[in-house]
Structures are given as C-alpha cells and as structure tokens.
Amino acid sequence: MDAPTPLEQALREAAVERAAVVGLPASRSDNEHRFPLTPEGAAQLVQRGFKVRMERGAASHIHYSDEAYTRCGVEIVDRAEAFGGDIVVYLPAIDVADARLMRRGALLLTFLHCVPEAAAGLECLLHRHIITIALDCIADAGGQRPFADILHEIDGRAAVAIASSLLADAIHGKGILLGGVAGIVPCEVMIIGSDMAAVAAGSSAIGLGATVRIFDNDIYRLRSALERLGPGAIGSSLHPRVFEKALASADIVIATDTSPRCGVVDSAMMDVMKKGVISFDLSDAPGSAFPAMPVVDLDLASPSDARPGSPVRMCYINAGNAVPRTVAMALSNTFVSMLDEILVCDGVANALKLNCGLRHGAVTFLGKCVNSRVARLLGIRPVDISLFLQFS
C-alpha cells in the first residue's frame, strides 16, 4: 500500500490587533470634579472593542461606584496604569507628575487650560510628544462645537437652578420664589451675552416665571437668541443707561461670553446692584465679568458662604461643576461618537488629517504646539497643524 502523499494547504494567518486602551484617571483638582463617562458610556466603548481602565474611585464625584463600572467591562487600576493608556481622558489641567506617567505619543483628551498654573504640565506634554486635543475646541462639520455647547447649556441651566435655590433659602437667602404668583411681581434675571449658556439660562428662568432681560452688542446673535427664547425675553444692546437701569433692578445677573468682551460690571456699577443679588460668571475667564466681587467656586461652596457678615454681593463660578453627573451623562454619547471616528480613521493622525473640526481642538502634536493661545502662554511660536500633518 502506497504511503499517503502530503499536499500543500494554505496557512490561515489571523492578524491580531491590539485593542486601544482608554484610561480614565481620577481628578485631584479642587475645582474640577466633572467626569467624562458614565458606566453606560464606558460599556459602549467596551462593546466597540476598546479596553477601558479607570483609576479606583475616579467616579466618586458623580456618585457611581467602581463596581458599576466593572459590571460594564471596565478594569479598575491604579493611577499609573490609568495614565498609561493609548487614549487618556482627563479633564483638569495635567501636572508634570501625571504627564510623566503617559507613554510617548499617547492621546490626551482634556479641556483647554490657558492659565499660568498649567504651563509646566503643557511643556511636559510637548517634551513627551503627547497629542493633546481640547474637547471644548472641537468643531463639527457645521462649525458648531458639540462639547463646548453641551457644557455651556449645562452651565446656563445649572446657574438658574442654583440661583433659584439661593433666593428661596429662608436663612441665607431672601426666602423668595424666582417666579411670581398672582399679585406678586416676579424676580428679574439679567443676562449679559447671547450664546448657548445665555439662551439656556434664559429658557430656564422664563420657565420658572421670571422676567428675563438679555443684553449683547452682537445684534445678529441677540436676534437669534430672542427668536429661540420667544416673547418672554426682552433684548437690548449694551446701551449704558439701559444696562445700568437693568442692573439696579435685577435679582440675578448672569454673565456669559461676548465677542468682543463687554458688559463688565466694575466697582462703580456694582454699587447700584441690589444687596443680596445673585451673580454668576459663565465666561471662559471666570470672575472677570465682576472684578470687584469676591469669587465663590460652586464646586467648593457651602451655605456658610452666605452667612451673616459675608459680602452682600458675590460672584459664583463653575456652575457646571455643581452638577457633575449631568455633565457625565451629556458627554458620554459625544465621547463614544468621537472615539468611534478615530477608530475608523485608523489613528489620531489620520483623524486629524481627515477631520477639520477635530483639528480645531488640537493643542500639542508630537512635540509641537499647534494652538496659538497655549503658545502665547508658553512663550513659543505655534505651528500650523495643517502644514505639519502634510509632512508627518
């Protein structure tokens, strides 16, 4: 009997691709307690093939336990492992010690931090060739900024909700309702600016029955805001006499971003305001709209801040930090969509080449500063990322 003859057979080669690791470190900042992902959002990333590693206790500020995340496939790790991922989502300004935990060439998703305290961490990111993208600067195909708009809308609605609570406090506030009842004049809410935060604040205030006055020198943006708010809002340009009269009668004053910067309430104008007026600064430079007022960070505030003997006028900032779980729920879906796009483009560099809106958010790219504001902070010249990507 003849021996069997071996035949050639094609060898199947399975290409094993390493899953991208998303790291979620805990915030150690005193004024940033927002967190980017809920357990449900993390589960969507796991289902898409990402490995998600979260630092132990990182979601405590949004009242989710580590167990809620592990049930969704998230691995609970120490700080070094969380910062060692391919993609790190960390919302506060990163310091040097944490930046050194990141691997060279990794992607950092954060917010834009252009304050002197952030300079050392940014320099370390450049040295380690980290790709940094500021979420609040990312734009979509229509030029809208999805992350920034979400945060601004939350800030505006949170400011009115918190102000209403402060006014109704019978011990530390005035013990009055924001909206009037039959026979009682409602409270007045004055809003400086007409951006997303202003519209959200105005909508909430009108819904509660308050009288809303909105001011801006950008007439086209003001018209758009008034169309969205309906007949319940009164709009005006920043005419000095009209502005001061509204300031004198307002129970709540909310300042948002205006372009160019206008409507600053200095010490002389502050004197015409009511005692106990509730003031919020929702601009990108918190506190700058009310430079003569003491600043109270809502993330650190307590009822004792309004105790007898405290200043009769204070400026509250970081309204969104007071509702961090809402922020996490709102950001989760946007994060999943963006990381999906990076995955489809086969890497961050390709995603930046193909997506103009994503390029708007780039801050550092492989050792180069590609954001003009950060470059001014660091005292260096920025690089045009569009030109840089062509040769990378």
Side-chain angles (χ1 to χ4, degrees), residues 33-55:
H33 289 163
R34 291 173 293 186
F35 194 69
L37 284 174
T38 61
E40 294 80 5
Q44 291 185 55
L45 291 182
V46 173
Q47 291 167 6
R48 284 162 169 76
F50 291 95
K51 287 185 177 179
V52 182
R53 293 175 179 167
M54 186 181 79
E55 183 181 355

Side-chain angles (χ1 to χ4, degrees), residues 55-369:
E55 183 181 355
R56 188 170 290 103
S60 60
H61 288 300
I62 60 172
H63 304 290
Y64 280 117
S65 65
D66 291 343
E67 290 73 19
Y69 285 86
T70 56
R71 288 194 296 268
C72 296
V74 177
E75 184 181 352
I76 305 301
V77 298
D78 61 20
R79 192 168 185 80
E81 286 186 273
F83 269 108
D86 305 297
I87 302 170
V88 176
V89 187
Y90 187 65
L91 303 184
I94 194 169
D95 60 25
V96 173
D98 288 335
R100 287 174 177 167
L101 295 175
M102 295 187 67
R103 66 174 188 81
R104 291 178 66 86
L107 169 64
L108 173 64
L109 300 175
T110 185
F111 291 145
L112 184 64
H113 300 285
C114 289
V115 293
E117 296 79 12
L122 289 166
E123 288 176 348
C124 190
L125 293 175
L126 287 170
H127 179 70
R128 297 190 61 78
H129 284 213
I130 304 298
I131 301 173
T132 308
I133 294 179
L135 298 166
D136 46 337
C137 297
I138 293 173
D140 61 17
Q144 304 298 319
R145 297 189 299 165
F147 286 97
D149 286 347
I150 287 170
L151 297 172
H152 288 160
E153 184 174 6
I154 291 172
D155 284 346
R157 293 191 179 279
V160 172
I162 295 165
S164 177
S165 177
L166 291 172
L167 282 175
D169 190 323
I171 299 175
H172 302 292
K174 293 183 176 181
I176 59 175
L177 288 173
L178 182 60
V181 296
I184 302 175
V185 176
C187 289
E188 294 185 17
V189 177
M190 177 182 179
I191 301 173
I192 306 169
S194 54
D195 64 0
M196 181 69 74
V199 172
S203 178
S204 291
I206 291 171
L208 291 173
T211 298
V212 174
R213 291 185 170 88
I214 184 168
F215 292 81
D216 201 337
N217 276 339
D218 187 331
I219 301 301
Y220 287 100
R221 192 166 71 164
L222 179 62
R223 182 183 292 116
S224 176
L226 291 172
E227 288 174 353
R228 295 176 64 182
L229 290 173
I234 304 165
S236 172
S237 61
L238 286 158
H239 187 281
R241 185 172 297 176
V242 178
F243 184 82
E244 185 172 327
K245 185 177 180 180
L247 202 63
S249 60
D251 299 284
I252 299 170
V253 181
I254 299 174
T256 66
D257 279 316
T258 56
S259 182
R261 188 67 169 138
C262 54
V264 174
V265 180
D266 57 22
S267 56
M269 300 179 74
M270 187 184 76
D271 289 339
V272 307
M273 299 172 73
K274 291 181 178 179
K275 292 182 179 180
V277 63
I278 309 295
S279 303
F280 283 84
D281 190 349
L282 307 183
S283 69
D284 289 337
S288 61
F290 306 95
M293 292 186 189
V295 173
V296 177
D297 190 329
L298 278 168
D299 202 32
L300 308 173
S302 68
S304 62
D305 293 320
R307 64 185 180 275
S310 297
V312 294
R313 304 179 187 93
M314 295 180 287
C315 171
Y316 293 95
I317 63 172
N318 291 337
N321 265 331
V323 287
R325 186 158 174 164
T326 297
V327 173
M329 290 188 290
L331 290 181
S332 287
N333 288 338
T334 312
F335 263 118
V336 173
S337 300
M338 185 188 67
L339 292 178
D340 253 350
E341 185 173 350
I342 291 174
L343 196 64
V344 169
C345 292
D346 194 24
V348 182
N350 285 334
L352 289 169
K353 289 178 182 179
L354 297 172
N355 189 321
C356 179
L358 194 62
R359 287 201 297 274
H360 284 306
V363 177
T364 66
F365 185 81
L366 302 180
K368 303 295 182 181
C369 181

